[in-house]
Amino acid sequence: MSEIANTDPEGLDGVRMSWNVWPRTKVEASKCVIPLAASISPIRHHPDIPNLPYAPLRCKTCSAVLNPFSRVDFTAKIWICPFCYQRNHFPPHYHMISETNLPGELYAQYTTVQYSLPQNPDPNLGPSPLSPVFLFMLDTCMIEEEMGYVKSALMRAIGLLPENALVGFVSFGTQVQVHELGFSDMSKVYVFRGNKEISKEQVLDQLGLGVARRAGGTGYQKGVPIGFPNSGVTRFLLPAADCEYTLNALLDELETDQWPVPPGSRASRCTGVALSVSAGLLGACSTGTGARIIALVGGPCTEGPGTIISKDLSDPVRSHKDLDKDAAPYFKKAVKFYENLANQLVSQGHVLDLFASALDQVGVAEMKVAVEKTGGLVVQAESFGHPVFKDSFKRVFEEGEQSLGLCFNGTLEINCSKDIKIQGIIGPCTSLEKKGPAVADTTIGEGGTTAWKLCGLDKSTCLTVFFDLSSSDRSNTPGTVNPLLYLQFLTSYQNPEGQLILRVTTISRGWIDSAVSSEELAQGFDQETAAVVMARLTSLKMETEEGFDATRWLDRSLIRLCSKFGDYQKDDPASFTLNPSFSLFPQFMFNLRRSQFVQVFNNSPDETAYFRMLLNRENITNAAVMIQPSLISYSFNSLPAPALLDVASIAADRILLLDSYFSVVIFHGMQIAQWRNAGYHNQPGHQAFAHLLQAPYDDSQVIIRERFPVPRLVVCDQHGSQARFLLAKLNPSATYNNANEMAAGSDVIFTDDVSLQVFFEHLQRLAVQS
Amino acid sequence: MAAFLPPGAPRPRSGNDNPSQPPPPNYNPNLNPNSLADNLNNLNLNRPPSMPSSAPRASPFGQPPHFPSPASLPGVSVGSSPFSRPGPPPGALSRPAVPPTGPPQSTLSPNVPPPARSMGPPTGQPSFIGSRTPPGYFPSSGGTNVPPTYVAPPPGAFPSSGFPSRPVGSAPPPGTRPSTASPPLTTGPALPHSSAPSGYVTNGPPAFMSGASPGGPRFPPAGSAPPPPIGHPLTLGSAGAAPQAQSMRSFLASPAVVAPPGPPAQPASPFSAPPQGVPPPPGSYGPPTWPVQPGQVGPSQPLSGSVQPPRMFGMPPPPLPNQSMTAIPALSQTGAPVSGTSKIDPNQIPRPIPSSSSILYETRQGNQANPPPPATSDYIVRDTGNCSPRYMRSTISQIPCTADLLTTSGMQLALLIQPLALPHPSEEPIQVVDFADIGPVRCSRCKAYINPFMKFIDQGRRFICNICGYTDETPRDYHCNLGPDGRRRDADERPELCRGTVEFVATKEYMVRDPMPAVYFFLIDVSMNAIQTGATAAACSAISQVISDLPEGPRTMVGIATFDSTIHFYNLKRALQQPLMLIVPDVQDVYTPLQTDVVVQLSECRQHLELLLESIPNMFQNNRTAESAFGAAVQAAFLAIKSSGGKLLVFQSVLPSTGVGSLSAREAEGRTNISAGEKEAHKLLQPVDKTLKTMAIEFAEYQVCVDIFVTTQTYIDIASISVIPRTTGGQVYYYYPFSALSDPAKLYNDLRWNITRPQGFEAVMRVRCSQGIQVQDYHGNFCKRIPTDVDLPGIDCDKTIMVNLKHDDKLQDGSECSFQCALLYTTVYGQRRIRVTTLSLPCTSMLSNLFRSADLDTQFACFLKQAANKIPSSPLLQVREQVTNLCINVLLSYRKFCATVTSSGQLILPEALKLLPLYTLALLKSIGLRNDGRIDDRSIWIECVSYLSTPLAIPLVYPRMVAIHDLKQKDENECLVSPVIPLSSEHVTDDGIYLLENGVDCLIYIGNSVDSNILQLLFGISSAEEIPTQFVLQQFDNPLSRKVNDLVNEIRRQRCSYLRIKLCKKGDPSGALFFSHLVEDKNPSGPSYVEFLVYVHREIQMKMSS
């Protein structure tokens, strides 16, 4: 992040908005085409954010937190809330306040501050923080080799866990096995059948954790880890330090699922029930305990609720086509099941992380809802032995620089100025259904609320908030109103150390009468953010709106945008120019149209779901890369330089490094590949070549190290089969249709897709149409 | 030990440890109720008259001369026949019939023959009798204790005596009476054994002494003098039958035992009499009897006490203080002054007399079926065509030709089949016949298996099926020419042609799959109560010890699971460092947690298993889960072994309170809601619902046999639980209240026997009968899916199946009727076998033959099972009434149609069934038919009865009691278990220690004033005060203790049961328990023996006169 940090577009606040200047009216806003949206990174790390070790002051009417935009009357010891204009008295401990003695939250530059909330007021709990819970849920329906990989990954992960972290282990196949780690006499396992839906109460009851079985439930036992009034659960969840040996021994002996699989059948795998059981088990933890289910899944669920496919191998796993034609008999039922599971997890405040490693689909598309609503991590790889899984999995547990900073139990509240309505959020969160005047009539994503639950969140978690304006024009009278609008994001969460933190970000933007100054409005346009917002919105619409034609919708939006903000003479395409604020946007749209987010038929539903989940939770920069990959060219005669994302960038003597977020491709031109194959780089006289070869690797490692999930690294040569990873992303300026025009050493892409140039031509023509 | 194992299941057995050892194969010879039964007892219940009768009897005695006559049976018989006819019209008919039955006997028959049959032991009876006369018998009868003396004499004696007596009654009649009497007498002969000698003796007074001192004396006195008079008076009073009555009595008298006591004691009879207006006799009767008796008694008692069991002959001294005495007055009041005088001598009423030595028994002799010795006797069988009675025995050794005849007799026609019964060590093992690929030769129509009774014709080219009568072609490979005798020349070389029981090697046709492996799955209750009472530890220890007894080899698989409110399986696979516990928490809808590895080859998991068993008690030491998911656990364990089938051994300690098939403490509910409880009290003995039954049927379908070891302190609803073992061919072991001190040894031994006894898996059994008879239904522990077959997931040597038969046609007199039981099963070593057991019995159209050939033990076992069957479905009173009526009807039938010359004042018992009233009384007082017991005790009793074998049926209700305080005085050579003391508190003294056992429990009663030295020697305590509630029999280094231990071990061997030993002392609940077993006493659950006889007698009289 270091290099990016320099040009940090998100700044202290971690907020990027599609429009940094807002039109005053709903009508004007709708004319802007691109929605009013903010992409926020609620707990993004920034060294300058002050940490305040006390509780915030809240407005007594709107409960907004005291912030630099509040007007303060130092003599009267009163502050006025910028959102509702309520006058609030400072409490006694603020009596020292004066113009020269401001508390941290009033410093103008500290638009974002962080409060460390006092610990749980319950004196019984004492000072020690809540230990996070990691419940590993391992699929055992896999070949020995995969099992070996996943076991070693698990063992390594367990070794990395903080000592106080509580660990549980569930394995599943035909049945679910809950391992009682706290049983010292021998390995002890609770077995649940895989084909029967099971409620949380049943799970608790059957594990001996039910209410009925809590002996003397009220008594608080000494020596029992805090936060578990139901001490029974400590049979299953042990501090990592205490159970590492047990777990390793257990993993050593753990076998693949022993139930026979008839030939021509898929293994019987009850992922759904396993998740129910795991969620149920965690339900025994007291509220407020941060817990995550880390599901390691090696294939599709074929048994019991949540089944996505029959056991018959001749029955292929559903494709996008099947979903479109409603020919996926299990899909809706499964989604419904995982939705319920998601709701349960959210109510418990727990997280589902999904690590899917299989060549075939495992049902990510169905489970997406549970992962996304709980703010879980998701990693998809083709094998547990693949670096994409191995390295990503390791990252989850690593401490320090590389730490993902996994936090729990987040709650996001948004306060906004009058007349601003919130439509909803796209991203890893769940609506808490908290109604208020700021709730818009229309809903996008998780809406209908001003508060959201983020069971799991991390440094890079990013949410897209969609705003709308009040349709009443009462506020529309200029001059009488504050020219600034305010938004306040309150994120409370439990950090990895178990501390409760509240981060308050208050931002202010200007209102503009767009009718007056379109120019100012354009200046406030953030193309990158807008592109990502459009991508997210498109994805959402594709998933939720029946028969939604994404390409058409994007095209029309783009044309409208260009019509509104372009400079042109009607019906003269040649006269069309675009304000620099918008200049990149059409290309983003071009690439978005061609991306996996819109052209889903090249991918499986699982892949699509995976891509979209990451699109929704990544920051703007990374999301933009997903839409429009970056391409860097390496050659002898120049420094590494960005190259056009065009097939024309391919040259025999170049190495290209493509970062499309999910994969990083190192592409050797034909000549380079030949030299390399000849081993020149190993010869003393060709150190320059060796360096040239090495440079893209080094750069790719930088990318890979920073990113979670770890991208797939593809190293390929021109004309090699793997080259498709690059070619698919390039603008097909050279196809077999115009192959004769291409430069030597370049390449062609076998496609009928239009090139960027053609796209632009059409755009210009349509934009200027009257 | 090994010897006793049947060939099919050869199991090594280590015989070293004493008590622990499974019971030996041998049965107890001791009790020969049968022998008694064999004899016809004529119980003369005379009122006072009886007393007088005694005087008359004396005359009979005097008649001893008669004996000679009896000796020359022919003569007697002749006489009898005539008599009989003239005498009682009804009886006459029957009797004549009797004689005919045994052709040779016919002459004798009237008198002698019957006895012969009754004699049972003598087997040949009729024929014997006829031809052989007494002497002949002796040998045959030899089976009984002192064959020569007893048996032989008895027959002769009885008849003789009987005759005499009759004569006595009506002087001239003697001859006739004999005839009439003879039948009874005949039966009587059997009784004679014990009494017989005495009887003879009686006849010849001096002889008595020689014979059985006690018995002897009594007979003479009682029989001789008093009876006759009594009879007369009574008869007079009642009817003209008088003479008969007398005769009867005389018989009784002769049997000595019966007669005397009957009359006097039974005030009842008196009553009946009095009403009739017999008053006159009383005065006279009374006196004589008394004097006589006393005199006799004196001597007799001591004798009885000391050596020979009193048996039938109880020589109660005049003082007879007992209830009978008391009862008498009361009776008398109603009746008349007579009453006071009248009484039945409790010392002379019929009682079982154990025989002490082995009988040699051939199943057929002279090409005729040989009636079997009593099931409870010690006999050695030579299979000469019919199967050994151990495997199959019929309630009647002759088959009535028509259903009407059977109905008239009041008896049941049923087979008791114990297909894998333990043979006597001296018996020839069952031969295994391998027909290779062809498979056993069978009738092509009815599929009956080849057996000695299939008749080969047409030079052996064809054979006629003895079951369906169809003529089959002899398979070419099986052809053999016939010899001059019409038999195949190879008949004697081929076991299937000369043996009643053979085992065929099954071919592929008999298998739907490969024979199943021997799978043993142990399921142990580890709920809080089980742990805390030590039941879990006991179970684990027992299993651990028993592992080494499991059959060796790769086909032996073992699995184990524990349960409380959840079910815990254990993965015992070798690869694991330690066993893996797999918990199935869903007890509403169970499943097995692993497809494989829950059940593992024994050789692969021995160490894990031992380790596990060792750690289970500790592991659950702090278990606070009180709930028990028994039903679910059983279901889950079933699922684990479903693919192969196998044995499921469950150790359960508390009421199943959760999960599938959970039960409620409905016993308590019944108590609190008394009105509802009483109205349908028997409902508590029924399974509460069908859940477990449905499960059990599924188990059976997959060849899973469930045994349940109940180690509990509380109500556990055996009625519901026992459905599972009952349906799957298993059984329930009941340890209540479980004692961690004394029960583990029994648990271990029970388990060990359960596993090591001869047994088979995945069995199917069918019984085929000759045309004219068909199977009505089967009773026992099995599952029945189609009407003709019973499915036995498990079958072992202890399990008996009762097969009720019915006529569907007439049989031809003189023909034979065959029964064939085929049991297809898999041995523990995985061989598929068919055990074919064939029994061919003569058909008869004579009622008297039926009575003569009645098999008391079998009949009673049949009674018992039927009663037990009804208990859960009918009100108790009704069942008791039915049981009583069953007894009365048989006796009534005999009285009506067979006992010709009787006076109505006499209770006349067919010799073979003379103990029926006693056993019926015992049955009425048994746990199952009382309503004062715990529900579970009754349920377990019912459950136990359902598979109980014939030899164990009688001890269960009529236990055996011996004194052990004076054991050391006994001769080394004497039979360990005798003498047996009658079950009357009269015989229990305060300075004695008594051991009473019924094959399940063993109570040791310690009197209040027992010599402390003896206590020290036996129990290591110095006074009765220190008697522990939980008791372990130890062997101390002194002769007495050794003897007692030997005795207990002998009993264990005989019963194939380790017995739960409990010490009882007076004035303690345990003492009350002990006394509740003394069935001859009057107690809240029923009248005294004497009273009962009187009651029976009165009922018969009423029915006769109505």
Side-chain angles (χ1 to χ4, degrees), chain B residues 568-606:
Chain B
H568 326 122
F569 285 87
Y570 299 88
N571 183 340
L572 298 170
K573 213 171 163 197
R574 195 167 36 180
L576 296 169
Q577 291 173 351
Q578 56 176 358
L580 167 67
M581 187 197 287
L582 298 149
I583 297 173
V584 175
D586 186 351
V587 292
Q588 293 300 336
D589 183 11
V590 293
Y591 40 90
T592 172
L594 274 185
Q595 167 78 1
T596 53
D597 300 348
V598 170
V599 179
V600 185
Q601 283 188 10
L602 175 60
S603 50
E604 284 187 5
C605 67
R606 211 179 278 269

Side-chain angles (χ1 to χ4, degrees), chain B residues 933-947:
Chain B
R934 297 172 63 251
I935 290 294
D936 268 356
D937 285 339
R938 296 181 63 197
S939 295
I940 193 71
W941 186 89
I942 293 166
E943 149 63 18
C944 168
V945 166
S946 87
Y947 63 84

Side-chain angles (χ1 to χ4, degrees), chain A residues 156-277:
Chain A
R156 196 171 50 197
I158 291 160
L160 289 172
L161 287 171
E163 291 209 336
N164 69 330
L166 296 177
V167 180
F169 185 67
V170 172
S171 59
F172 69 98
T174 306
Q175 298 172 326
V176 184
Q177 306 195 324
V178 180
H179 298 256
E180 184 177 329
L181 302 175
F183 193 73
S184 53
D185 294 298
M186 62 173 68
S187 311
K188 182 173 172 184
V189 167
Y190 281 77
V191 183
F192 293 81
R193 69 188 337 176
N195 50 13
K196 190 180 159 192
E197 188 149 4
I198 184 165
S199 72
K200 175 181 167 184
E201 287 68 34
Q202 284 173 316
V203 172
L204 292 179
D205 195 47
Q206 297 187 6
L207 289 176
L209 304 173
V211 176
R213 303 227 181 123
R214 292 183 197 174
T218 53
Y220 206 84
Q221 287 172 278
K222 286 250 190 281
V224 172
I226 314 295
F228 300 93
N230 181 359
S231 62
V233 78
T234 57
R235 292 191 287 135
F236 299 98
L237 303 176
L238 261 71
D242 297 352
C243 69
E244 183 172 352
Y245 174 78
T246 315
L247 259 178
N248 285 340
L250 190 159
L251 285 169
D252 271 338
E253 289 200 335
L254 192 69
E255 293 179 308
T256 55
D257 194 46
Q258 297 295 296
W259 291 82
V261 179
S265 292
R266 293 188 171 85
S268 138
R269 180 186 286 109
C270 62
T271 319
V273 174
L275 285 169
S276 289
V277 169

Side-chain angles (χ1 to χ4, degrees), chain A residues 51 131 256 347 476 550 574 688 710 721:
Chain A
N51 197 11
S131 307
T256 55
S347 70
N476 204 15
V710 172
S721 67

Side-chain angles (χ1 to χ4, degrees), chain A residues 754-766:
Chain A
V754 293
S755 69
L756 184 63
Q757 290 76 10
V758 177
F759 178 75
F760 276 0
E761 285 163 20
H762 283 266
L763 175 62
Q764 288 175 21
R765 204 174 63 234
L766 293 167

Side-chain angles (χ1 to χ4, degrees), chain B residues 630-653:
Chain B
F630 164 82
V634 173
Q635 176 89 21
F638 157 69
L639 292 173
I641 59 174
K642 183 177 174 180
S643 59
S644 58
K647 277 185 82 78
L648 178 53
L649 300 136
V650 188
F651 297 83
Q652 167 74 12
S653 295

